[in-house]
Amino acid sequence: MSNPKPVFLVASSFMPEVHGSLDPYGMAVHPVLEKRGGSSIVVGETAQIMDHFEGKWKDDPRFALFGVPPMEALQGFRYSDEYQAVKHLRTDVILPNFTFAVEAFDPEE
């Protein structure tokens, strides 16, 4: 049996220049994420520098990327009572654009 594939949680939110603090969310969610083996790779912020090359991108969204292997661990994080209890610290402050999970490519398969 091969090793579980890495999984990435991809999220984008609208962050107007003037919005409430996301610090309480970050401080609450990172321990929950790390408990399931997750890590932050890219964390969106108002001053985030992005260079859009192709396709459509709505005005002013920001981007975040988290690694959580395997998919079951990510789903355990996302649907846990711990995460659901703190999710509002983000959604009360900024509007989501999209959120999805995707498995990484495994060249051995």
Side-chain angles (χ1 to χ4, degrees):
M1 183 174 169
S2 66
N3 290 331
K5 292 180 186 178
V7 174
F8 297 96
L9 175 65
V10 181
S12 174
S13 295
F14 295 101
M15 293 184 168
E17 288 294 328
V18 179
H19 63 76
S21 175
L22 289 168
D23 289 345
Y25 174 74
M27 291 181 355
V29 78
H30 283 277
V32 178
L33 180 67
E34 290 169 356
K35 185 166 100 174
R36 290 184 168 75
S39 63
S40 301
I41 299 168
V42 175
V43 178
E45 61 180 339
T46 303
Q48 184 177 47
I49 297 172
M50 294 180 62
D51 195 355
H52 177 229
F53 293 122
E54 297 178 332
K56 293 181 181 180
W57 189 259
K58 295 180 181 182
D59 290 339
D60 295 327
R62 297 298 175 246
F63 178 81
L65 180 66
F66 305 92
V68 187
M71 184 64 82
E72 292 79 13
L74 175 60
Q75 291 167 339
F77 158 75
R78 182 86 177 146
Y79 299 112
S80 70
D81 291 339
E82 291 172 291
Y83 178 71
Q84 294 303 313
V86 300
K87 179 181 173 182
H88 74 92
L89 297 173
R90 174 179 53 86
T91 58
D92 289 351
V93 176
I94 58 174
L95 296 174
N97 184 22
F98 59 76
T99 304
F100 65 88
V102 61
E103 282 187 331
F105 171 73
D106 184 351
E108 299 295 319
E109 288 188 347

